[in-house]
Amino acid sequence: MTDKEFRLDINVVLNNRTLVNLEMQIANKLNWRERSVMYLCRSFDQLNHGQDYLDAKPAVHIGFLDYTLFEEQPEFYASYKLINVKNHQKYSDSLTLHVVDLSRIDLATEEDKRYHIHEWAMLFKAATWEEINMLASKDEYLQEASETIFRMSADDLVRKRCRDREEYYQDLRSYERKIELDRIEHEQDVRSYKRKIEQDRIEHEQDIRNYERKIEQDRLEHEQDIRNFEQQIEQNQLAHEQDVRNFERQIEQNRLEHEQAIAEKDQHLAEKDALIRQLLAENEALRKQQK
């Protein structure tokens, strides 16, 4: 107890049958679960050479914490045993862990109050003699404990050690607050980073949707262009076929007109030839008359 940080473990044997180890921790050093299991196992491992395993006394570890061990499931008083994780069948009564959360006395159940656990917790948390005296008036054991606290507090050396201890834990609490602030800032950074990631994801998905809509729009425009091009080709083909038919009709018409002109010319030549032969005949007849 000469150091600033001293640890006082209380080990009790109940009726020479059960080993009980009590510990109290103010600062959360983030190792209580492992430490408490280690202390419990040390208490249970008390057989000497040659003793039977059945002679081993059940071991109980009780921890008084000034912080919440499981933040997601706060509980004032909790008990833990070895059980089957599937059907909750109890494996053994040889090992038991109890945890009292001094920071959550408000969660004490009716059963906790029936055994006065909450009053002992309030005694440990009391900050003034008025609080201690008020609690001591309720129970003779609390009265005895409060008188012991008073006697120890009257000792100058004990008071100095308590002040040193309080300063030490004050430093620890300041360190814990700094850790908590850093944790909060870290979680805030993580949330901000997640929000940024989510925002980037949403923007990326929006860009993808815009790109897909642009692709779809381009595809529709391209298909429309193809349809227009095909329609233009179809129109050009129809126009070309019409031009061909018109050209063929024109050729046929020209051929008929040409044949008609040839026929008319042949007829004219025939008439001319007939006229010439007639004139020649008349001329021959005239010439004969003159002779």
Side-chain angles (χ1 to χ4, degrees), residues 239-279:
H240 175 70
E241 291 176 354
Q242 183 63 39
D243 291 341
V244 168
R245 286 193 294 272
N246 293 336
F247 185 70
E248 289 176 347
R249 283 197 296 271
Q250 184 64 41
I251 290 175
E252 180 64 17
Q253 182 178 354
N254 291 339
R255 184 183 65 77
L256 293 175
E257 290 178 355
H258 179 70
E259 289 179 352
Q260 179 66 29
I262 291 175
E264 291 176 354
K265 186 175 181 180
D266 289 344
Q267 183 179 358
H268 178 70
L269 289 175
E271 291 177 352
K272 187 176 181 180
D273 184 63
L275 179 60
I276 291 172
R277 283 197 296 273
Q278 182 181 355
L279 291 174

Side-chain angles (χ1 to χ4, degrees), residues 57-70:
K57 296 181 177 64
V60 176
H61 183 275
I62 304 176
F64 296 91
L65 308 181
D66 200 27
Y67 56 88
T68 301
L69 188 60
F70 299 102

Side-chain angles (χ1 to χ4, degrees), residues 40-41 44 58-61 80-82 92-97:
L40 177 64
C41 293
F44 182 66
V60 176
H61 183 275
Y80 302 91
K81 286 183 178 290
L82 294 175
S92 171
D93 284 322
S94 298
L95 298 174
T96 306
L97 277 165

Side-chain angles (χ1 to χ4, degrees), residues 94-126:
S94 298
L95 298 174
T96 306
L97 277 165
H98 300 286
V99 177
V100 180
D101 186 350
L102 300 177
S103 67
R104 296 308 307 266
I105 301 176
D106 59 301
L107 296 180
T109 64
E110 291 302 320
E111 184 179 8
D112 300 334
K113 295 177 181 179
R114 188 162 59 250
Y115 288 100
H116 306 284
I117 302 175
H118 69 299
E119 292 177 352
W120 282 99
M122 292 167 66
L123 179 66
F124 294 150
K125 291 287 291 183

Side-chain angles (χ1 to χ4, degrees), residues 9-13 20-22 43:
D9 296 336
I10 299 177
N11 293 286
V12 181
V13 180
V20 181
N21 173 240
L22 300 96
S43 298

